[in-house]
Amino acid sequence: GVTSGSFLGGGLQNVGGLGGISDITGSSLNNQGILNARSTTAFQNRAGIRLSYDWSPRVSNYVEYLNMLQLFTDPRFQNSIFHSARGGFGYVLSPRSRLDAFYRFQFVDFTGGATTQRGGVSSSTSHSVGVGGSHLFAQTVPGSAQISVTLTEQQGFRDRVTVNGFVQIAKQFPTTLLAVNFQQQIGTGGGVFAATTLSQYVVLMANQRFSRYVNGFVQFGYGRNRSLGGQTIALNTYQARGGVTVALLDWLTGVATYTYINQDSSGLFGQTAQSNQVFIGLSATAPQWKLLD
């Protein structure tokens, strides 16, 4: 069968450190991706849990919780604590198709930092209800989509209702994967400003398997970031990325990427700038385990 979610290259699109086009790197730290004239040391801790249960071969449900803590040494940056709880049901229509429905609650508490006193907010709450699904159009053409309605409440700003979602489709060749991804989502905020942002982007990606142990990818994207309250954050970003991963052990992978970013800012935070980034790192994966068999 097929499952909804990301299928773009086994997570290769997520490597390469923080930042990027409205979170196209897989990071939900919207404001950390903004180019600005400041520098700081950051600490980030992510912790979560997911429980799922199959009621039958066709019906399943899940609940999950994610906590994320962001701290910065420079007091001009905005610390935050992010909580997200989500629950949903899945239904397998056929070996090629699956449907999902979910509810998600998000709460961000902005702590410390100076931007809470410069037009930011002390907290942000959002509720989302949505449906999604995935379908295997052909043996080598998977696709998935999701749509949700989100109510966002921020102190000092009017409540905002937004329609969010994504569409992903890919074409798999023997050693190559081509994919396109369109998405609009509510971010966590934090970083340079205490506010929730609306992110929109389109990404084109190619993933090449050179051998059993070596994979490479190239990625091109355009992103649009806007704060939900006013024009505090108003960004248009163009990005090109390339990288390679090498399987060193069954559980350990080496990563090297290069990223070019061109950012155009018309808001109060961020600046029109260009950036060249090189990232080298290691990625370790723990073995899967089941609570109940």
Side-chain angles (χ1 to χ4, degrees), residues 211-244:
S211 71
R212 178 181 176 184
Y213 303 102
V214 181
N215 287 272
F217 78 95
V218 292
Q219 184 185 76
F220 302 93
Y222 164 76
R224 186 177 183 270
N225 250 342
R226 296 292 187 272
S227 52
L228 289 180
Q231 289 297 306
T232 308
I233 295 174
L235 299 173
N236 293 302
T237 309
Y238 304 86
Q239 177 175 290
R241 307 180 70 230
V244 61

Side-chain angles (χ1 to χ4, degrees), residues 28 46-50 63-68 81-87 102-109 124 126 128 186 188:
S28 59
R46 296 170 61 96
I49 185 172
R50 177 185 173 96
V63 292
E64 61 185 20
Y65 168 76
L66 173 66
N67 174 274
M68 184 165 57
I81 302 175
F82 170 77
H83 304 271
S84 175
R86 174 170 167 155
F102 68 90
Y103 164 77
R104 180 175 58 236
F105 170 80
Q106 292 187 177
F107 176 76
V108 187
D109 184 18
S124 174
S126 65
S128 301
I186 298 293
T188 64

Side-chain angles (χ1 to χ4, degrees), residues 246-289:
V246 181
L248 303 175
L249 299 170
D250 291 340
W251 54 273
L252 185 65
T253 302
V255 178
T257 67
Y258 166 75
T259 304
Y260 170 77
I261 300 174
N262 189 323
Q263 174 183 283
D264 179 20
S265 175
S266 57
L268 299 179
F269 286 85
Q271 61 185 17
T272 298
Q274 299 178 355
S275 172
N276 294 275
Q277 302 174 357
V278 176
F279 175 85
I280 299 175
L282 296 172
S283 176
T285 303
Q288 294 184 354
W289 60 277

